[in-house]
Amino acid sequence: MSITTSQYVGNVRDTVKSFWHGMSVTLSQVLRRPITIQYPDRLEIPVQDVLPPRYRGFLEVDTDICTGCQACERACPISCIQIEVEKDPANPKQRVVTQFDIDEAKCMFCGLCVEPCPTGSIQHTREFEATQRSVRNLVFRWADPIKPFPVYKVVKGAPYIPRAPLGSRVKDLLAQRSWDAVGTSYLPPEPLKPPPPPPVKPPPAAKPAAPAAAKPAAAPAPAPAPAVQPDEPKP
Amino acid sequence: MSKLVLRRLDRNNEEMLINFGPQHPSTHGVLNFLVETDGEVMRRAIPDIGYLHRSLEKIGEMVQYPGYMPYTDRIDYLAAMFANEGYAIAVERLLKIEVPKRAQYLRAISCELNRITSHLVSIGTMATDIGAVTPLVYALRERELLNDLLEALCGARLTYNYHRIGGVAFDMPEGWRDKVLAYLDRLDSSIQEWDRLISTNEIYRKRLGGVAVISRAQAIDYGLSGPNLRGSGVDWDLRRDVPYGAYPDFSFEVPVGCGWAGVVGDCYDRYYVRVLEMAQSSRIIRQALEKMPDGELTAKVSRKPKPEAGEVQSRIESARGELAYYLVSDGTERPYRLRARTGSFMAMGIIEDISPGLMVADLVALIASLDVVAPETDR
Amino acid sequence: MAQFSFAFPKPGTKKLLVGATLGAALAIPALLAGLLVFLVPMVNKPLLDAFIREKLGHVPATWVGTQWVYAAALFLAGIAMFTFAAITGGIFSWYERRVAARIQSRIGPNRVGVAGFLQWIADAVKLLFKEDLVPGEADAMLFRAAPYFVVAGMTLVLVALPAGQAIVVADLDVGIFYILAVTSFIVVGILLSGWSSNSKWSLFGAIRATAQVVSYEVPAGLAILVPVLMAGTLSTQGLIRAQGGWPWEWFFFRNPAAAVAFFILFISQLAEGNRTPFDLAEAESELVAGYFSEYSGFRFALYFLVEWANLWIIGAVATTLFLGGWQIPGVSAQTWASVRGAGSFPAFGWWALQFVSLGIFAVKTLFLVNVVIWIRWTLPRIRIDQMMNLCWKYLVPAGFAAMLFTLVWQMVATWAPIVEKITALVVFAATVWVTWRFLQQTRKNVSLIAHERVDLSNW
């Protein structure tokens, strides 16, 4: 590809000119303030406090004003909210929430559950830091199955619904748990039960045999250990 | 496909097969290219997609109509507003809903802001792929400032989930309008600085000018759209030619590639069209903020919409080209079929035919100039 | 808009840390300067002879141990130079990261020590503790050997590179030619590493680097010829002695062709040192990491040591050839001789002047180092065919033209020395004006951005 002299000179001139501008732009950056901040430890204000109020962080449930309507559970596209509402055994007219679990590890922070809530009980907070060694610790349990909370009944004509300060409950919840807390393990698998005794009544002579038959089945774990032993003398 | 390549290579033994990706600095996500090279010159590059497939279309058949909105964020995480809007428009057509004017304006503003963030990433990563790291940082700086604004508007920086069926989720926060105007002032001057820093840089122009030229006919044949299509000199923009939402109310220009650094349809044209589009987006946002009407934010939509059986399609101009949704309803509360047509997927198709004769360094420029984003390709 | 707050070090930093950092920041450059000045008696034959005669009490010409003393002195000098290169390379790695961060609107490493000054030590220690991995399919012996070739190429250059009036390991008669020759030794290491890694990316990088370094030897050689013609010697110290202390006495200003040759040399050196815009060999967006893709741990650290030590070499060679080297303004060769005194050991004033000359050389070199870093964080990378074009179509013809022009210019300068003096003043004035315009432009760039202003806080 041949080029003319004017193109040749023009290339050199364009190069010099563009380098002049480019270099002056990069040098002028030295005079400006860096845009970065030193999260998390060298901040004048905690970063949670500079986030906008609409920030979608961890979900928080104010259990005092939850009506137990389960609208949030239905709105959630990935079913990360699990609610159980039962009748209070002591007071059959009162319904209580025995389970209100939000799996924050699964949650995609879309905000669809916040919108149908009639009282504003479930809200996104500005909290987002909850590093946990065990991902199962990110299941936030808002209801206690031992002490279930009663559902809230909206008082007609009330000027407002009293809600706990946004974020205070999540902070409490996060403060309760250290980051390396042992997570709740998966539900233990059902232990292997011995085969149910045959429905026919065994003859009385077979009676002492029954516990003996159940024994190896009840303790399957030590069984493999002796099985290895015959291999050992081999080498 | 790869078996075929290997057999052919073994015969003449002059060429080298390289896996360009999936873990490679300039593949913009998880892409793989099987690159046959003869020294520095490529024989061809075969895109190998699917590493980021999350079956988003199938998920659409499992969740209810409003519940799919957060999933659309994940189709293209750099331009989530468009995916939101396209899906919302499709469902609105299915439900035959009219969107309030104010919501349409807010949609236009949020989408154009998102177009700027998306193009900033695009041109920034392009500069990095060409070897200049600093412009990327400047682009990301401007983008972070804009992300702050989007965060104040809708609560998230990336997965916005701002649009709703029948409107938008929130109104503008207090004082947001002035912040956006101040930001746009900054952006307009930053674009000029950007031009002086990198767009006019002689090395940059020479690296991109006349490289990987996609002709007008080729661009149309391969179904390219958006900036890639306009970079090839085709004057086609859905916002102007098939208007939707509030776009008929605004006046703006559609930048079309005209061979700024060589030939029409080269990498530089596709790049510079994006730079000019950012300025046009800024213009649209100013107009929208000025003309913002009062009114409702959403139309009346039930929480569990059950559209009549039928099929609709929506097309919008996304940052990566035409984003189209095809929805089939069978009268239940879940779609029977959901299909998304994305710009990146179409752009991937042309790489194999454009690549022969390019150099390895040009492949990087080609991928960057097509602005391929892996999640949008694979969905 | 943030308040202007310039607190250094940041309040709340531990006093011990501040002390350690400041101590290191003062002691390390002082140590380096001391090391370099320490070279003077080591490599100076008359001084060594005097040492043998007066301290050891032998006659140098006849004593058996004389050669051993010479050898020991050279060995110590070699160790001193290598230490100098290693520490300079380390500090440059921290410095480049800080400068790059400021250019990129970031803060940069700032945790290890005040302002992150001890970062390079932490990095080096970390790399030393990493596994020295050899890929299974690699040619293990060549793979292990390759970094040493690269390091050798870098260290050998330092032998002939001056840093002060008497500070040079060996003032070779063919000094600059020697530097040009041993620089290409690095290519051997790069090629070995690329080939032996048995990785396609490494091979790509190695072949690119080889093509690049071999090509750019030519314009570099042509550009070096210009000052050589002007000085009439190849010795590095001789080249500096032919220049003067004041800027208009430097070769850069005395001859318009020399200014052109300076830029040719500078560009060629960027290419030979694989710095942006010529970092094709390690182009991370194309070749992942190029020829050292497969390296880890200590060997990886060696490549980076060479890369940053090369910064000093790039600056020092250009300073030696064009920017007056260590020449102190107003101090002539007679002054040096008179300050030295008549004794076999030089007087104190002479040693002080050595430090001053070292400082002047370092300032000029560091300025060029800054420019190299600054270029790296501004420009994109060029493609391999464009790199070849630039070399053979632009730099080589320009280098030839500069050389021919210099031949004529030398005749003119000998015939009428006033022409050279006037040219030097005019070119110097033009350079000052261009620099002033450039700084103005830079200042303007800040105000061109809406809602932006000069703010030097947040370091």
Side-chain angles (χ1 to χ4, degrees):
Chain A
M1 201 165 66
S2 62
I3 54 170
T4 62
T5 315
S6 65
Q7 277 174 325
Y8 188 93
V9 176
N11 281 345
V12 176
R13 195 196 53 227
D14 287 351
T15 309
V16 171
K17 206 172 138 190
S18 63
F19 284 14
W20 166 281
H21 283 295
M23 304 277 280
S24 77
V25 167
T26 43
L27 184 63
S28 72
Q29 294 291 331
V30 179
L31 301 176
R32 305 181 201 175
R33 186 183 162 85
I35 193 80
T36 48
I37 56 168
Q38 299 195 46
Y39 173 81
D41 58 339
R42 291 191 193 166
L43 292 173
E44 285 164 18
I45 315 166
V47 76
Q48 281 88 349
D49 295 343
V50 296
L51 291 172
R54 282 179 193 170
Y55 183 79
R56 299 203 296 259
F58 286 136
L59 284 167
E60 182 191 66
V61 180
D62 185 352
T63 49
D64 294 342
I65 57 169
C66 174
T67 60
C69 65
Q70 302 184 350
C72 49
E73 189 184 12
R74 283 191 296 273
C76 182
I78 47 174
S79 319
C80 72
I81 304 176
Q82 177 78 29
I83 303 175
E84 289 285 339
V85 184
E86 287 171 9
K87 281 190 178 134
D88 191 352
N91 178 6
K93 280 188 181 173
Q94 177 70 51
R95 290 160 70 239
V96 290
V97 179
T98 54
Q99 188 190 11
F100 199 129
D101 293 355
I102 301 178
D103 190 347
E104 297 286 2
K106 203 176 166 191
C107 177
M108 57 178 172
F109 304 95
C110 62
L112 289 184
C113 55
V114 176
E115 285 165 24
C117 184
T119 57
S121 163
I122 186 165
Q123 293 276 346
H124 278 293
T125 60
R126 297 193 288 181
E127 296 296 319
F128 62 94
E129 294 168 321
T131 313
Q132 290 286 335
R133 182 170 276 174
S134 164
V135 72
R136 297 187 67 76
N137 276 345
L138 283 172
V139 178
F140 287 6
R141 298 182 189 280
W142 296 98
D144 188 351
I146 314 291
K147 266 171 62 187
F149 67 83
V151 299
Y152 178 73
K153 287 200 180 65
V154 183
V155 184
K156 273 184 187 163
Y160 64 93
I161 298 165
R163 196 192 189 284
L166 191 61
S168 56
R169 304 218 164 186
V170 166
K171 273 181 190 153
D172 291 347
L173 207 70
L174 292 174
Q176 282 169 16
R177 206 180 272 145
S178 72
W179 69 273
D180 54 351
V182 179
T184 51
S185 57
Y186 286 91
L187 288 177
E190 292 285 313
L192 283 174
K193 279 178 187 157
V200 279
K201 254 192 178 175
K207 252 184 187 174
K215 239 186 185 175
V228 183
Q229 276 175 354
D231 289 353
E232 280 176 0
K234 249 189 204 171
Chain B
M1 186 188 274
S2 54
K3 270 182 192 162
L4 182 112
V5 174
L6 283 172
R7 200 178 64 236
R8 204 168 70 76
L9 284 174
D10 282 346
R11 205 165 52 212
N12 51 23
N13 215 7
E14 294 253 316
E15 295 162 356
M16 189 155 73
L17 179 74
I18 305 181
N19 270 309
F20 195 90
Q23 276 84 37
H24 189 277
S26 58
T27 47
H28 297 206
V30 200
L31 287 175
N32 186 16
F33 292 88
L34 295 163
V35 180
E36 296 169 23
T37 65
D38 179 8
E40 285 280 340
V41 183
M42 280 196 299
R43 289 278 184 257
R44 63 173 171 165
I46 305 159
D48 176 14
I49 62 169
Y51 289 89
L52 262 173
H53 182 65
R54 292 146 298 159
S55 51
L56 280 171
E57 290 175 1
K58 192 69 188 167
I59 289 173
E61 299 167 18
M62 298 175 194
V63 293
Q64 297 169 0
Y65 283 99
Y68 189 63
M69 191 60 80
Y71 284 102
T72 60
D73 291 338
R74 274 82 180 165
I75 286 182
D76 178 1
Y77 48 59
L78 290 176
M81 285 289 183
F82 298 102
N84 277 345
E85 188 185 24
Y87 177 70
I89 289 177
V91 180
E92 282 151 13
R93 285 193 186 151
L94 210 52
L95 293 168
K96 301 185 181 62
I97 299 172
E98 190 65 30
V99 182
K101 203 73 182 161
R102 188 175 176 85
Q104 286 188 356
Y105 269 67
L106 282 169
R107 277 186 180 179
I109 291 172
S110 59
C111 279
E112 293 307 318
L113 285 176
N114 199 192
R115 193 187 305 278
I116 294 173
T117 61
S118 174
H119 281 350
L120 279 171
V121 174
S122 166
I123 61 177
T125 49
M126 181 138 188
T128 306
D129 289 348
I130 302 302
V133 186
T134 305
L136 170 71
V137 187
Y138 296 170
L140 290 183
R141 176 182 62 190
E142 305 305 323
R143 177 166 175 268
E144 284 306 306
L145 296 172
L146 188 45
N147 272 351
D148 286 345
L149 294 174
L150 284 169
E151 192 183 26
L153 177 68
C154 55
R157 300 174 82 82
L158 214 56
T159 50
Y160 307 112
N161 191 24
Y162 178 57
H163 297 201
R164 294 284 182 274
I165 295 163
V168 293
F170 308 105
D171 202 349
M172 292 188 290
E174 205 177 322
W176 191 74
R177 189 194 134 99
D178 297 333
K179 281 187 199 160
V180 171
L181 287 175
Y183 173 78
L184 292 179
D185 288 343
R186 183 192 164 93
L187 180 79
D188 290 346
S189 50
S190 292
I191 291 174
Q192 285 169 14
E193 184 183 85
W194 177 273
D195 279 350
R196 294 200 302 125
L197 171 65
I198 188 85
S199 301
T200 56
N201 188 294
E202 189 66 10
I203 295 176
Y204 200 63
R205 287 166 62 90
K206 284 277 189 296
R207 273 298 303 275
L208 299 178
V211 167
V213 179
I214 299 175
S215 72
R216 197 187 150 89
Q218 248 176 334
I220 295 171
D221 287 352
Y222 278 86
L224 294 193
S225 50
N228 296 335
L229 182 69
R230 291 193 283 277
S232 291
V234 184
D235 193 3
W236 175 256
D237 190 325
L238 287 179
R239 290 175 292 173
R240 186 195 60 196
D241 300 321
V242 189
Y244 57 93
Y247 285 107
D249 298 358
F250 311 131
S251 70
F252 57 95
E253 286 159 21
V254 176
V256 176
C258 50
W260 285 290
V263 194
V264 177
D266 58 10
C267 289
Y268 192 84
D269 279 7
R270 288 192 284 279
Y271 154 79
Y272 205 61
V273 159
R274 291 196 173 86
V275 177
L276 294 179
E277 269 186 21
M278 290 200 298
Q280 293 302 322
S281 292
S282 155
R283 204 173 141 193
I284 293 173
I285 297 163
R286 282 173 203 275
Q287 293 175 36
L289 285 173
E290 198 180 311
K291 295 185 193 167
M292 176 73 78
D294 288 335
E296 291 290 311
L297 286 178
T298 44
K300 288 265 176 285
V301 188
S302 98
R303 287 208 187 284
K304 251 191 207 174
K306 267 194 194 177
E308 295 165 14
E311 55 178 0
V312 295
Q313 197 194 6
S314 74
R315 308 159 74 188
I316 60 157
E317 182 74 27
S318 152
R320 278 178 192 74
E322 203 173 310
L323 180 70
Y325 281 93
Y326 172 67
L327 268 178
V328 182
S329 161
D330 55 357
T332 61
E333 56 205 28
R334 292 176 173 81
Y336 175 75
R337 173 81 173 96
L338 186 150
R339 159 104 181 105
R341 180 258 192 232
T342 54
S344 293
F345 180 73
M346 296 293 169
M348 287 294 278
I350 204 168
I351 290 177
E352 186 173 350
D353 285 343
I354 291 294
S355 56
L358 294 183
M359 293 193 155
V360 177
D362 292 338
L363 175 65
V364 175
L366 173 62
I367 300 167
S369 77
L370 288 172
D371 196 13
V372 176
V373 170
E376 210 200 8
T377 313
D378 297 340
R379 296 190 294 282
Chain C
M1 288 291 130
Q3 287 293 310
F4 181 84
S5 62
F6 186 76
F8 184 85
K10 288 246 161 61
T13 319
K14 280 188 185 123
K15 282 216 173 84
L16 183 69
L17 195 64
V18 178
T21 313
L22 288 182
L26 292 176
I28 289 176
L31 184 85
L32 288 179
L35 254 179
L36 286 181
V37 176
F38 182 64
L39 284 176
V40 177
M42 286 294 171
V43 294
N44 208 330
K45 205 174 164 213
L47 279 181
L48 282 177
D49 284 350
F51 174 74
I52 293 168
R53 195 165 43 238
E54 291 173 16
K55 304 284 171 188
L56 300 181
H58 295 282
V59 181
T62 54
W63 187 45
V64 191
T66 309
Q67 295 302 325
W68 289 103
V69 172
Y70 288 170
L74 273 180
F75 181 72
L76 282 178
I79 299 249
M81 278 324 276
F82 191 74
T83 314
F84 172 77
I87 293 179
T88 325
I91 293 179
F92 280 169
S93 79
W94 163 79
Y95 183 71
E96 169 151 24
R97 288 171 66 184
R98 285 294 285 191
V99 172
R102 282 305 295 196
I103 285 178
Q104 298 187 343
S105 205
R106 297 185 282 119
I107 299 168
N110 60 356
R111 299 285 165 139
V112 193
V114 176
F117 181 73
L118 304 176
Q119 182 73 45
W120 58 281
I121 300 176
D123 284 347
V125 170
K126 179 203 77 174
L127 281 173
L128 288 184
F129 279 114
K130 281 198 159 187
E131 186 188 354
D132 182 18
L133 196 100
V134 180
E137 299 287 310
D139 187 333
M141 196 190 82
L142 294 184
F143 186 84
R144 292 208 177 91
Y148 301 117
F149 281 84
V150 179
V151 172
M154 180 271 295
T155 324
L156 287 176
V157 174
L158 294 170
V159 169
L161 210 58
Q165 198 266 348
I167 308 172
V168 62
V169 178
D171 183 15
L172 303 175
D173 290 340
V174 289
I176 200 70
F177 182 68
Y178 165 83
I179 288 177
L180 204 59
V182 293
T183 312
S184 28
F185 206 59
I186 294 180
V187 182
V188 180
I190 290 176
L191 197 55
L192 279 185
S193 67
W195 174 255
S196 63
S197 296
N198 202 5
S199 150
K200 289 166 181 173
W201 297 120
S202 300
L203 187 61
F204 248 114
I207 288 179
R208 281 183 179 190
T210 312
Q212 179 175 321
V213 178
V214 170
S215 303
Y216 275 83
E217 293 280 326
V218 179
L222 286 171
I224 284 173
L225 275 182
V226 171
V228 167
L229 286 172
M230 289 170 81
T233 174
L234 280 168
S235 146
T236 46
Q237 289 289 50
L239 279 159
I240 295 175
R241 276 188 221 107
Q243 305 176 60
W246 297 107
W248 46 86
E249 292 166 341
W250 302 348
F251 284 154
F252 181 86
F253 298 108
R254 265 161 54 179
N255 175 355
V260 175
F262 171 78
F263 288 109
I264 295 172
L265 178 72
F266 195 66
I267 293 168
S268 309
Q269 281 184 313
L270 288 181
E272 287 184 48
N274 286 327
R275 300 283 303 185
T276 309
F278 302 96
D279 60 340
L280 297 99
E282 50 202 67
E284 73 280 348
S285 63
E286 294 155 27
L287 303 185
V288 189
Y291 54 86
F292 55 83
S293 295
E294 306 290 340
Y295 281 89
S296 65
F298 179 58
R299 284 166 222 279
F300 180 80
L302 286 183
Y303 280 106
F304 271 85
L305 169 72
V306 171
E307 179 169 340
W308 276 301
N310 252 333
L311 276 180
W312 175 271
I313 293 173
I314 290 174
V317 169
T319 307
T320 303
L321 290 174
F322 292 98
L323 300 184
W326 41 259
Q327 289 277 15
I328 309 168
V331 178
S332 62
Q334 289 81 16
T335 326
W336 278 103
S338 63
V339 167
R340 190 185 188 281
S344 51
F345 284 105
F348 175 76
W350 187 82
W351 290 101
L353 270 188
Q354 289 293 351
F355 271 102
V356 175
S357 72
L358 174 62
I360 284 182
F361 190 87
V363 164
K364 288 173 185 171
T365 305
L366 290 178
F367 170 74
L368 289 178
V369 167
N370 270 305
V371 173
V372 174
I373 292 174
W374 176 20
I375 285 177
R376 172 170 179 186
W377 297 106
T378 305
L379 296 183
R381 180 187 314 121
I382 68 177
R383 208 169 48 207
I384 185 148
D385 57 328
Q386 293 167 345
M387 180 200 77
M388 289 295 173
N389 264 346
L390 176 69
C391 177
W392 295 106
K393 289 189 183 166
Y394 291 84
L395 297 185
V396 171
F400 266 117
M403 193 186 81
L404 292 176
F405 183 86
T406 309
L407 292 174
V408 180
W409 186 259
Q410 281 308 105
M411 285 195 279
V412 175
T414 328
W415 169 63
I418 190 74
V419 178
E420 201 178 52
K421 289 228 169 65
I422 292 169
T423 316
L425 284 173
V426 168
V427 176
F428 179 63
T431 311
V432 170
W433 183 74
V434 166
T435 314
W436 176 244
R437 282 297 308 275
F438 186 79
L439 292 176
Q440 270 186 328
Q441 174 76 55
T442 305
R443 178 66 189 77
K444 210 175 118 198
N445 283 338
V446 181
S447 49
L448 278 177
I449 301 292
H451 314 297
E452 186 72 84
R453 66 204 172 87
V454 173
D455 184 348
L456 294 176
S457 59
N458 198 6
W459 275 85

